[in-house]
Amino acid sequence: MPERIYLDHAATTPILPAAREAVAEAMGRWANPSSPHAEGRAARAALEDARARIKAALGWNGDLIFTSGATEAIAIALRGRGAYETNVSAVEHDAVMRHAEGPQRIEVDADGLVSLDHLRAWLDPCGATAFIVIQAANNETGVLQPYDEIVATIRADRVDKEVLVLADCAQTAGRLPLPAADMIAVSAHKLGGPPGVGALLVRDVARLSATGGQERGYRGGTENLPAIIGFAAALEAAEPWLDRAAALRARLETAIVAEGGEVIGANAARLPTIGAYRMPGVAAAAQLIHFDLAGIAVSAGSACASGSLKTSHVLTAMGMDATAAGEVIRVSFGSSTDEADVDAFLAQWRTLKARLRAA
Ligand code: PLP
């Protein structure tokens, strides 16, 4: 069977060898970190060591609550926000959207960038406490939000208000510096660590309501210590490769545009590992099947949305109609992606286009 090409790293990227070894090693020596005996204390020490290493690697000096991933980190933050008036950007991941009650959303422009005017207009009349969720990079398009400007807008002249900001950094943690948010959600399986582990970084845990259980009462359930140790190892082993990803993506996009394709969010700064492309006239589902049969794994929208192929709320928030949004696929790179992978994808893109023309 010919080797497959994996271009869906934004969904999950393969575990790095150092992280896999660290998990395997940790599986071999076991105890519950909450147990008071010597074995439990050793597990607790290993847990705290991993916590310190992850904080150091991410450059975070606040608290860190281990979770099962970014979804749970977001849920803990949103569950613990009490009576804060809440708003989220219109392009958040479903992990945020499923908690965001009410019709209001912070609008984005045609490139997917949060409207600072709209943010200001929502904040000014709102009560004394507000809670805002904005992602660092979009998981479908790679569009990076201008976090410095967003934070400046939120903090400006609002001495009478307490505004907390949760940044969903599932796609950027370990790759780009963390934004100046009060809380940050991260996920290990997006950065070369094992699945099923992540963290909520919190500047001041007193802002969250404790619910009992582990992690100083902010998360229930025995910590997944082998995965946590693998998470630390992945962050430490990660090598900078964003420049290479940017060059690969530029190669891909030049060819796609030359072939009549459309790059989504092309005018915005984007995380170099993710690109979203529209092939006019071809439904994303047909594209996915074509690429899959040709041995190439890509996705339509986020992994969870692509299972159902529902219309992307991200693309419609950017002003695309449902038909156009339904013709967009996501290509995402990992540290192992090379030019041959990109060229193989392009060859299949051209084959599909030629078939369309012939039809
Ligand atoms: N937020 C974003 C932007 C994501 O891309 C993802 C993963 O798809 C999540 C949240 C959820 O992360 P996890 O799988 O760790 O729960």
Side-chain angles (χ1 to χ4, degrees):
M1 204 173 135
E3 220 174 281
R4 287 185 58 88
I5 295 172
Y6 186 71
L7 294 174
D8 197 17
H9 291 264
T12 291
T13 198
I15 188 165
L16 291 168
R20 184 196 286 255
E21 279 164 31
V23 174
E25 203 271 328
M27 282 285 187
R29 48 181 173 101
W30 215 238
N32 190 318
S34 298
S35 298
H37 45 61
E39 290 83 350
R41 293 198 306 276
R44 167 65 52 190
L47 181 73
E48 296 312 326
D49 175 65
R51 196 187 311 273
R53 287 163 57 201
I54 292 169
K55 282 170 55 173
L58 290 173
W60 181 256
N61 51 24
D63 281 299
L64 184 159
I65 299 166
F66 284 118
T67 65
S68 62
T71 301
E72 192 191 6
I74 289 162
I76 291 174
L78 283 170
R79 192 186 59 213
R81 73 188 186 280
Y84 284 55
E85 265 184 72
T86 305
N87 207 343
V88 310
S89 92
V91 291
E92 294 304 303
H93 189 273
D94 277 347
V96 172
M97 289 307 192
R98 71 175 63 100
H99 299 277
E101 66 280 334
Q104 54 194 352
R105 298 282 178 266
I106 306 162
E107 288 169 6
V108 297
D109 66 14
D111 279 306
L113 296 171
V114 159
S115 157
L116 298 178
D117 288 342
H118 198 246
L119 176 58
R120 221 175 272 123
W122 178 75
L123 264 174
D124 285 342
C126 97
T129 52
F131 195 104
I132 291 174
V133 190
I134 299 179
Q135 61 200 188
N138 186 266
N139 49 293
E140 295 184 31
T141 62
V143 168
L144 289 163
Q145 294 299 341
Y147 239 95
D148 290 347
E149 290 173 49
I150 288 172
V151 171
T153 303
I154 290 170
R155 304 282 176 239
D157 302 328
R158 287 198 183 79
V159 280
D160 55 330
K161 283 186 200 188
E162 181 187 39
V163 186
L164 295 180
V165 183
L166 166 65
D168 176 357
C169 294
Q171 295 293 344
T172 57
R175 301 197 171 115
L176 296 177
L178 299 175
D182 302 286
M183 298 180 203
I184 291 181
V186 301
S187 173
H189 72 110
K190 309 287 188 186
L191 52 81
V197 66
L200 176 64
L201 312 180
V202 197
R203 208 168 286 292
D204 178 6
V205 276
R207 293 283 167 276
L208 287 176
S209 35
T211 53
Q214 283 77 3
E215 295 297 284
R216 296 170 56 198
Y218 292 96
R219 195 254 179 171
T222 303
E223 293 90 347
N224 183 352
L225 186 53
I228 286 169
I229 290 174
F231 183 7
L235 275 169
E236 288 168 353
E239 282 168 16
W241 56 281
L242 286 187
D243 288 350
R244 200 156 48 79
L248 288 173
R249 196 180 61 183
R251 179 186 182 90
L252 177 67
E253 294 187 352
T254 305
I256 282 180
V257 170
E259 295 283 337
E262 188 186 330
V263 178
I264 309 302
N267 301 314
R270 288 175 295 142
L271 186 67
T273 53
I274 301 177
Y277 309 109
R278 175 175 172 227
M279 187 187 284
V282 187
Q287 296 182 53
L288 291 197
I289 293 167
H290 172 83
F291 284 110
D292 195 36
L293 288 175
I296 301 174
V298 291
S299 71
S302 65
C304 9
S306 72
S308 59
L309 286 183
K310 65 177 187 196
T311 302
S312 159
H313 69 275
V314 171
L315 300 176
T316 48
M318 293 166 72
M320 288 181 89
D321 63 41
T323 307
E327 296 170 344
V328 174
I329 62 168
R330 174 181 74 181
V331 177
S332 52
F333 304 138
S335 55
S336 58
T337 308
D338 60 18
E339 279 188 6
D341 298 335
V342 168
D343 291 347
F345 173 87
L346 282 171
Q348 288 304 325
W349 174 284
R350 291 187 184 108
T351 303
L352 191 53
K353 281 283 295 193
R355 204 174 288 165
L356 180 69
R357 265 195 300 271

